[in-house]
Amino acid sequence: MSSLNLTRRDFLTRASLAAGALVLPRIGSAEPSIPLGKAEHCVFIWLGGGMSQIDTFDAKPTRGDGKKKPGCYYDIIDTAIPEANFSEHLPQLAKMADRLIPVRTVNHNVIDEHAAAVNRMHTGRLPSGSVVYPSIGSIVAHERHSVAEGVPAYVVMGYPSATRGPGFLGPKSGYVYLTDTASGPTGLSRARDIDDERASRRQGLLETVREDYLGRIGDAAPREYDEAIAEGFRLQSGDFMKAFNLAEEPDSLRAAYGDEFGQRCLLARRLIQRGVRFMEVGFNLNFVNGAGWDSHNAAQRELHVLIRGLDHVVATLLTDLENNKLLDKTLVVIGSEFGRPAHFDSGGGRGHHGKCFTVVLAGGGLRTGQCIGTTDDLAMTIAADPVSVPDLFATILATMGINPNKSIMDGERPIPVTDKGTPIAKLIV
């Protein structure tokens, strides 16, 4: 057929075939390989409220006055990373910066609402009306499981919330939470007047009721919760609860960790030694300074107290992990829901800023001792190498040996583990 005699039907047929060919894989082609790390554990240190990047890990020489002149609230110091400056209140981590990777160009578009930003920094996605997305901790738990029997894969040292939960992955990928480092999770602690014999009788009765009920229903959800109950009994009698006896540690080490945040980080080390895969450790759970990292108004004037505490405890944790030959196997992440602007509000504090903020990575077998991303002279705008939240999540997952391009199932629907995130490949050995 000549091109002059091409009919409308022929044209449409050929056009549709050509369009289809564009989306078909070429013969012999393959998806570009993604480097995967070998980290076995992740400790995610959560600074609720929004850490000011310009006052911590992206400190700038422009000095603000707490009033009209924007800039860093503190003096800056050199670090073990060439041409990188930290706040003067991070002296220990500045010396240990060769173990760190400040990712200075993380960004998202949520600034007005803390809960929405917390959700973004835990799930990596916008909320959906049809899908309840799992948190990063639940994804790791689902993919890697715990290292040992009788130990949960995912523990949250902080208050429970749906945004930290398993979403469509279900209870098996959920977390065990605690707020007290001394006694462990309340739901797993047996009352003092319940001895072994009485506990065994109670468990036998419960098993009879469970078997009868499960024999009469076909819904998957109750079965998943029943499996979670069974897991709870295994945790009660396993090695997990022994981790909470911090008195086993040398007095000098417990003293070095210091305050309640420090004791949680010490417990985190003990738990990953027993096989926990993903730990979230909350900083300043009870807002002992009144505001946490949400440094509006007068809270800015006391921010140095939090920064010094973070510096001391994280430096102790990294050293402790190193001494126990765990640092290369443990990815440490320091993050919050957003950053802060360089200018000050009417009360002398800082507002919210999501367009450019810092998340710090450490250990995990990564190529540490470098910064990712460049910002302007007020740490407000990205100058080079932006890192989206999905990119950050893809980097964490890849470091943990999880392909960030794979999909997990929501019923019969495949959902990618990240929202089109690309890992920072040059970090992964």
Side-chain angles (χ1 to χ4, degrees):
M1 179 187 297
S2 70
S3 58
L4 293 176
N5 295 324
L6 185 66
T7 66
R8 181 175 181 274
R9 177 179 294 177
D10 292 330
F11 174 79
L12 292 174
T13 299
R14 294 186 184 187
S16 63
L17 289 173
L22 293 176
V23 298
L24 291 174
R26 295 182 180 180
I27 296 176
S29 67
E31 180 182 308
S33 61
I34 294 175
L36 298 180
K38 298 179 181 179
E40 294 293 322
H41 313 274
C42 180
V43 176
F44 191 103
I45 296 173
W46 181 251
L47 311 183
M51 178 185 71
S52 171
Q53 72 282 0
I54 193 172
D55 294 323
T56 53
F57 297 98
D58 196 9
K60 302 293 185 178
T62 302
R63 185 71 183 267
D65 62 3
K67 298 177 182 178
K68 293 184 178 181
K69 183 182 177 182
C72 183
Y73 201 61
Y74 308 111
D75 290 334
I76 62 173
I77 55 176
D78 294 332
T79 74
I81 302 174
E83 300 182 2
N85 299 125
F86 289 176
S87 158
E88 62 179 307
H89 299 299
L90 292 167
Q92 295 184 64
L93 289 177
K95 293 177 181 177
M96 300 179 69
D98 59 323
R99 283 88 151 179
L100 308 179
I101 304 166
V103 184
R104 292 174 159 173
T105 51
V106 180
N107 64 93
H108 59 60
N109 59 359
V110 183
I111 59 171
D112 294 327
E113 219 280 308
H114 283 277
V118 170
N119 183 73
R120 181 72 65 89
M121 291 300 293
H122 278 81
T123 67
R125 299 176 186 266
L126 287 166
S128 168
S130 59
V131 179
V132 181
Y133 292 110
S135 66
I136 183 73
S138 287
I139 293 172
V140 171
H142 179 267
E143 293 298 309
R144 297 296 310 272
H145 313 291
S146 62
V147 178
E149 289 290 330
V151 178
Y154 177 21
V155 174
V156 172
M157 291 193 202
Y159 299 110
S161 69
T163 205
R164 292 167 170 81
F168 65 75
L169 290 176
K172 288 182 67 175
S173 300
Y175 56 81
V176 171
Y177 81 92
L178 59 130
T179 57
D180 182 359
T181 58
S183 62
T186 303
L188 298 179
S189 299
R190 186 192 299 175
R192 292 181 180 180
D193 60 340
I194 305 295
D195 59 22
D196 290 344
E197 181 180 355
R198 189 176 179 187
S200 179
R201 291 200 307 270
R202 285 185 168 191
Q203 189 171 345
L205 176 59
L206 178 61
E207 287 177 356
T208 301
V209 174
R210 287 163 56 195
E211 288 175 4
D212 177 69
Y213 177 72
L214 292 174
R216 293 185 284 108
I217 59 105
D219 191 354
R223 294 183 180 277
E224 290 178 347
Y225 280 103
D226 183 69
E227 291 174 2
I229 292 172
E231 177 67 12
F233 283 120
R234 287 193 290 271
L235 297 182
Q236 273 187 342
S237 57
D239 199 33
F240 174 62
M241 295 300 289
K242 298 176 183 177
F244 297 93
N245 185 12
L246 298 185
E248 293 179 342
E249 298 291 337
D251 291 343
S252 59
L253 182 62
R254 293 173 62 192
Y257 269 103
D259 64 11
E260 45 92 25
F261 170 58
Q263 299 307 301
R264 285 197 293 277
C265 286
L266 171 57
L267 178 57
R269 191 266 289 162
R270 289 173 60 84
L271 287 172
I272 64 174
Q273 282 182 309
R274 285 162 171 78
V276 174
R277 191 70 75 175
F278 191 99
M279 298 278 320
E280 178 174 325
V281 182
F283 183 105
N284 194 19
L285 290 184
N286 297 312
F287 293 102
V288 294
N289 71 325
W293 295 88
D294 195 18
S295 54
H296 297 286
N297 303 318
Q300 179 69 35
R301 293 195 288 274
E302 298 300 318
L303 189 61
H304 63 280
V305 177
L306 300 184
I307 299 172
R308 288 174 183 171
L310 180 70
D311 178 62
H312 174 77
V313 172
V314 175
T316 304
L317 173 63
L318 296 181
T319 301
D320 192 17
L321 289 171
E322 244 179 1
N323 291 341
N324 283 277
K325 302 186 185 308
L326 287 169
L327 186 57
D328 280 345
K329 296 191 292 185
T330 305
L331 173 66
V332 179
V333 182
I334 304 173
S336 57
E337 59 263 49
F338 38 52
R340 321 300 294 195
H343 57 269
F344 301 93
D345 59 31
S346 59
R350 301 192 192 274
H352 302 164
H353 189 68
K355 294 181 180 179
C356 178
F357 60 101
T358 299
V359 172
V360 178
L361 308 179
L366 296 176
R367 291 189 176 99
T368 56
Q370 59 177 313
C371 294
I372 298 297
T374 305
T375 61
D376 67 2
D377 58 1
L378 289 176
M380 288 275 289
T381 303
I382 296 171
D385 301 321
V387 177
S388 69
V389 177
D391 293 341
L392 176 68
F393 273 42
T395 302
I396 294 171
L397 293 176
T399 304
M400 296 290 294
I402 301 168
N403 185 347
N405 283 346
K406 78 170 295 183
S407 293
I408 47 182
M409 301 303 294
D410 177 13
E412 298 181 353
R413 176 169 52 171
I415 304 290
V417 291
T418 70
D419 189 12
K420 302 177 182 178
T422 301
I424 307 170
K426 68 178 180 178
L427 297 184
I428 301 172
V429 178

